[in-house]
Amino acid sequence: MSSMKKAFSRSGPLTGELKVPADKSISHRAAIIAALARGDSTITGYSPASDCQSTLEVLEALGLRVERRECAVSVEGTSGGPFIQPRGPVDCGNSGTTLRLVAGAMASMPITVTLTGDESLRRRPMGRIIEPLNMMGARLTSEGGDGRPPLVTSGGSLKRIEYAPPVASAQVKSAVLLAGLGADGPTTVCERVRTRDHTERLLLASGIDVKTEGLSVTVRPGVPEAFDVEVPGDLSSAAFIVAAAAMVPGSDVTVRSVGLNPTRTGFLDVLERMGADVEVSVEGWDWEPVGSIRVRYAPLKAVELSAEDVARAIDEVTLVALLATRAVGRTEIRGASELRLKESDRISGTARGLEALGVSLEESEDGLAVEGPCELVGAPVSAAGDHRLAMMFALAGLAADGETVVDGWEWTAVSFPGFEKALEMLGARRA
Ligand code: S3P
C-alpha cells in the first residue's frame, strides 16, 4: 500500500448530525456466528470497514457462501461446521478480531488451517488464544515458534474448561466461548476486568444458553439458530467525532443510531469526568442498545484512567491523551499496557506524534501522563500503520497552529471509511 498524506489545520466549530459506519465488533461476530448457525442469516448494515471485509473473505476461503448486497450481507450457516479445508494460508489482513475469533470458531472442526495476516497482524501476540484453545484439546502452533502468526490451527474434539485469561481481552473471551459451542460440556471464562459482551449477546439472541454472573460467562455447547440482525453504528468510530466536538470551541454535534452497549461506553464516562457536555439517549433496544450522542463544546479538565476505565475504552484511550492537551491539569493514564500490542504500539505512537506537535508528556510502560493545557503546533506525524492513530492526529490538526500532515491516511479505511468526509460535513477545515 503506498502511503497517503493528508493535511489538517485549525478548525472553526463543528456542527451538525451524522451517522458513522456500522459496528466492527458486532459485524465480525454476526458473520462468524452466522457461519456456525443452522440456516441462512442476514446482517443488515454490515460494516464497510476493511477489517470486517477480511472476516467475510476468510469465511469464503473456508468454504462459506456469503452474499453481499448493497445494505446487507447474507451468510449460509453450516450447523456447527465443519468448514472446508482451504488449499493455502488464509489471510486475515490487519484484523486481530478476525484471526482470534475464527480460530475459536474452528477449534472443534477436523481441519488444519494456517491463519496469517499483514505485517502488523504478524507481529501480534497469539499465545493468549493458543493456550486456552490447546487446553480444550485443539492444536494451535505459531509457525515461527514466537507466539505470532502465521498460526497453524488443527481442530479436534474439545473438552470443556474454566478459564481465567491473564489479559483483559474480549477477543480471547470470544475465542473460548465460540470454541465452547463445540465442547463436551459448559465452558466458563472468568475475566479479571469486564470486556465487551457482544459475543454473549448475539449467542443468546441466536438461542444458545449463555449465562453471565459477575465477571464469569458460561456457554453450553450448541448450534446457533440463524438470525436477522441490524448492526448499529460503531461507538469506537463515533468516539472520534465526539472527541472532535469536545475539543473544538463552539461545536455542537449529534451522532445518530450508534451502539450504546454499556461495556463499550467507558469513553463517554471519561469525557463526562473531564467536564465535557455529553447527552446520551437510548432510543432502541433489540439485542444491543442503540441511540444518539450529542456533544457540545465545554472547557475540559484533567482525568485519571484506571485499568477498568481502559478496558471499557480500550480503543479510545489515545483520544483521552489528545483531549488531555486541551484539559486543565495533569491527566494520567495507567493500566493500558495492552495498547502496546494493538495494530501498532499505541502508547509509543501517541507519544511520538504528540511530541512532534509540541506536547511534552511522560511515557511509562503502561500509560502516559500529560500536563494540560498545552499548545499544539502543526507538524508532520506518522500514523505508524494504525487507523486509530491516523484519525487521532487528524483531530489534533483541527486544534493545532499551522499545518498538521498525517502520513498513512489510507489506514483510516480499516475502521472508518469516509472519516475525512464526515469531518468535512461537520465543517472541519482541511489545510
Ligand atoms: C475487540 C476487542 C478489543 C479491541 C478491538 C476489538 C473485539 O481487543 O481493541 O478493537 O471486537 O473483540 P482485545 O480483545 O485485544 O482487547
Side-chain angles (χ1 to χ4, degrees), residues 25 29 97 100 128 168-171 196 314-315 342 388:
S25 293
R29 285 157 174 80
T97 312
R100 294 185 178 124
R128 52 185 63 197
S169 164
Q171 294 178 5
R196 65 191 67 191
I314 185 75
D315 292 332
K342 294 291 176 192
R388 301 206 196 274

Side-chain angles (χ1 to χ4, degrees), residues 298-320:
L300 298 176
K301 55 180 192 284
V303 71
E304 288 192 6
L305 252 62
S306 65
E308 281 76 18
D309 293 322
V310 169
R312 288 184 62 237
I314 185 75
D315 292 332
E316 290 76 58
V317 176
T318 59
L319 285 173
V320 178

Side-chain angles (χ1 to χ4, degrees), residues 51-328:
D51 267 5
C52 297
Q53 301 308 311
S54 292
T55 289
L56 296 182
E57 284 159 21
V58 166
L59 293 176
E60 286 176 317
L62 295 168
L64 272 297
R65 286 244 311 267
V66 175
E67 193 192 327
R68 298 167 177 79
R69 278 172 279 125
E70 205 177 317
C71 10
V73 164
S74 298
V75 180
E76 190 180 64
T78 57
S79 297
F83 299 161
I84 294 190
Q85 172 82 49
R87 281 203 211 95
V90 170
D91 184 4
C92 301
N94 191 242
S95 176
T97 312
T98 305
L99 195 152
R100 294 185 178 124
L101 269 57
V102 167
M106 295 190 308
S108 63
M109 300 180 189
I111 52 175
T112 297
V113 180
T114 301
L115 295 169
T116 188
D118 70 4
E119 220 185 292
S120 147
L121 187 55
R122 281 187 272 116
R123 280 197 302 267
R124 297 183 68 187
M126 294 300 150
R128 52 185 63 197
I129 60 160
I130 294 176
E131 180 186 272
L133 296 178
N134 285 358
M135 276 167 63
M136 295 177 86
R139 266 170 303 127
L140 277 71
T141 48
S142 148
E143 215 171 69
D146 56 359
R148 298 167 206 277
L151 211 62
V152 183
T153 72
S154 293
S157 58
L158 299 186
K159 297 189 297 281
R160 59 169 297 266
I161 56 167
E162 277 176 30
Y163 187 63
V167 288
S169 164
Q171 294 178 5
V172 172
K173 171 176 65 175
S174 300
V176 175
L177 294 177
L178 292 171
L181 293 177
D184 64 358
T187 292
T188 299
V189 179
C190 187
E191 297 193 279
R192 43 173 59 197
V193 190
R194 190 143 173 67
T195 63
R196 65 191 67 191
D197 66 356
H198 304 299
T199 303
E200 295 91 306
R201 285 170 183 262
L202 191 50
L203 286 175
L204 197 64
S206 59
I208 293 293
D209 183 350
V210 193
K211 285 202 175 61
T212 302
E213 277 178 43
L215 292 172
S216 285
V217 191
T218 300
V219 67
R220 286 183 182 275
V223 174
E225 292 303 331
F227 50 83
D228 291 343
V229 293
E230 189 172 342
V231 184
D234 195 323
L235 185 50
S236 296
S237 297
F240 287 86
I241 303 294
V242 165
M247 61 188 276
V248 176
S251 297
D252 183 354
V253 171
T254 300
V255 185
R256 296 225 175 273
S257 308
V258 64
L260 293 170
N261 180 316
T263 59
R264 294 280 297 280
T265 50
F267 178 62
L268 301 178
D269 299 340
V270 170
L271 269 181
E272 280 183 14
R273 273 156 47 201
M274 295 184 88
D277 182 353
V278 183
E279 222 177 280
V280 177
S281 35
V282 178
E283 286 146 10
W285 190 296
D286 191 354
W287 88 111
E288 290 271 359
V290 182
S292 58
I293 307 168
R294 179 175 184 185
V295 192
R296 278 168 283 197
Y297 171 80
L300 298 176
K301 55 180 192 284
V303 71
E304 288 192 6
L305 252 62
S306 65
E308 281 76 18
D309 293 322
V310 169
R312 288 184 62 237
I314 185 75
D315 292 332
E316 290 76 58
V317 176
T318 59
L319 285 173
V320 178
L322 171 62
L323 290 169
T325 68
R326 316 285 82 209
V328 179

Side-chain angles (χ1 to χ4, degrees), residues 18 21 241 391 409 412-413 415-424:
L18 82 172
I241 303 294
M391 296 190 286
W409 190 251
T412 56
S415 62
F416 199 157
F419 178 59
E420 182 192 355
K421 277 213 179 68
L423 288 180
E424 270 172 18

